Amino acid sequence: MKIHKEGRRILFFTLLALLAVNLLLFQLNARAETFNLIFAGASVVAFLLLLQFFRSPFRNLLTHEDLLIAPADGKVVVIEDVHEPEYFDDVRKQISIFMSPINVHITRNPISGIVRYFKYHPGNYLVAWHPKSSTKNERTTVVVQSDAGPMVLFRQIAGAMARRIVWYVNEGDEVSQGEEFGFIKFGSRVDLFVPIDTEVKVQIGEKVKGGQTIIAQLKTTPPTLFGK
């Protein structure tokens, strides 16, 4: 398992800071040995928690042109028909995945195709499961014209703890299913908006893995191998 590039700088300087503080404590506060040992133990635990957040595990990616693959690790918290106002301005099926701080926070392209729209929105930091987080929080919106035909919109949404969204795509880019399109730091959510006739393959509360779990199947004409 590798450490993601977004975490290497943070981990390096965090390690230096923790080492410096612990060395100072053992030199300047030598009499408080018990406190120093407790603080050292807490420093190790804190660093390991940060380390696991930036892990980048190997994934055997599942790809198929009309299958929507999970863009992130987490739990499905929303499956409903809603009005999508930013790009489509019509009713779409929304599927949302909540990412806790212990999940892998890499975000992946759920489908292959061409990026037709991209926009970054500064915003608030409501808790990621709040109904208004999709439109009020800091977020990015990406719309891909899939190789299967239908347009798919997906959003990275910052949460109460997530204070930085990173993205690697721009309008006009050709993207491949399962490849990284960004990273969200410290707790967040990813929303997907697909055509109403899309067949959802997951349920509320289900845990999914980015690049591996089938989220839904797009309707194509004629249907592909996975179609009906």
Side-chain angles (χ1 to χ4, degrees):
M1 185 172 63
K2 301 186 299 183
I3 299 302
H4 196 274
K5 62 183 180 180
E6 298 296 340
R8 291 169 192 165
R9 185 182 180 89
I10 293 173
L11 288 166
F12 176 73
F13 285 107
T14 300
L15 180 61
L16 286 182
L18 289 173
L19 285 173
V21 172
N22 277 277
L23 286 173
L24 283 173
L25 282 175
F26 276 98
Q27 287 183 356
L28 302 179
N29 196 31
R31 292 184 179 180
E33 183 177 354
T34 301
F35 173 82
N36 292 345
L37 289 173
I38 292 173
F39 187 86
S43 298
V44 171
V45 171
F47 186 77
L48 289 176
L49 289 173
L50 192 62
L51 187 67
Q52 68 83 33
F53 179 85
F54 287 107
R55 68 195 186 279
S56 179
F58 172 77
R59 289 286 162 87
N60 240 339
L61 301 177
L62 174 63
T63 60
H64 194 275
E65 67 175 15
D66 70 348
L67 294 179
L68 203 68
I69 307 302
D73 289 19
K75 184 169 70 172
V76 178
V77 293
V78 174
I79 301 175
E80 61 182 1
D81 295 345
V82 299
H83 180 261
E84 196 295 301
E86 180 177 351
Y87 184 83
F88 296 114
D89 194 23
D90 64 11
V91 177
R92 296 274 153 164
K93 192 175 295 295
Q94 177 182 339
I95 307 165
S96 298
I97 299 169
F98 172 71
M99 307 158 69
S100 77
I102 63 172
N103 286 128
V104 174
H105 272 57
I106 297 167
T107 49
R108 301 177 182 274
N109 297 305
I111 201 81
S112 295
I114 304 295
V115 178
R116 299 300 185 192
Y117 175 83
F118 173 85
K119 188 170 184 180
Y120 167 74
H121 303 266
N124 300 322
Y125 298 97
L126 302 172
V127 289
W129 58 83
H130 194 287
K132 292 187 177 180
S133 66
S134 184
T135 55
K136 298 295 185 182
N137 279 16
E138 179 188 2
R139 62 200 182 278
T140 62
T141 301
V142 182
V143 179
V144 170
Q145 176 81 56
S146 70
D147 289 345
M151 305 277 272
V152 176
L153 182 153
F154 43 99
R155 288 195 180 103
Q156 298 169 294
I157 303 171
M161 293 177 63
R163 298 290 167 151
R164 189 182 175 206
I165 293 176
V166 181
W167 62 90
Y168 313 132
V169 297
N170 294 290
E171 283 187 25
D173 287 353
E174 184 174 354
V175 296
S176 296
Q177 193 171 44
E179 289 186 354
E180 295 181 23
F181 80 85
F183 195 97
I184 318 177
K185 299 183 178 180
F186 304 111
S188 46
R189 173 173 147 177
V190 178
D191 285 352
L192 297 159
F193 293 85
V194 294
I196 288 294
D197 61 357
T198 300
E199 184 179 352
V200 178
K201 302 289 190 180
V202 292
Q203 299 178 340
I204 296 289
E206 185 173 340
K207 293 182 179 179
V208 298
K209 280 194 172 184
Q212 290 186 330
T213 305
I214 298 173
I215 295 293
Q217 181 179 355
L218 300 170
K219 295 294 183 182
T220 57
T221 306
T224 66
L225 176 65
F226 286 87
K228 294 182 179 180

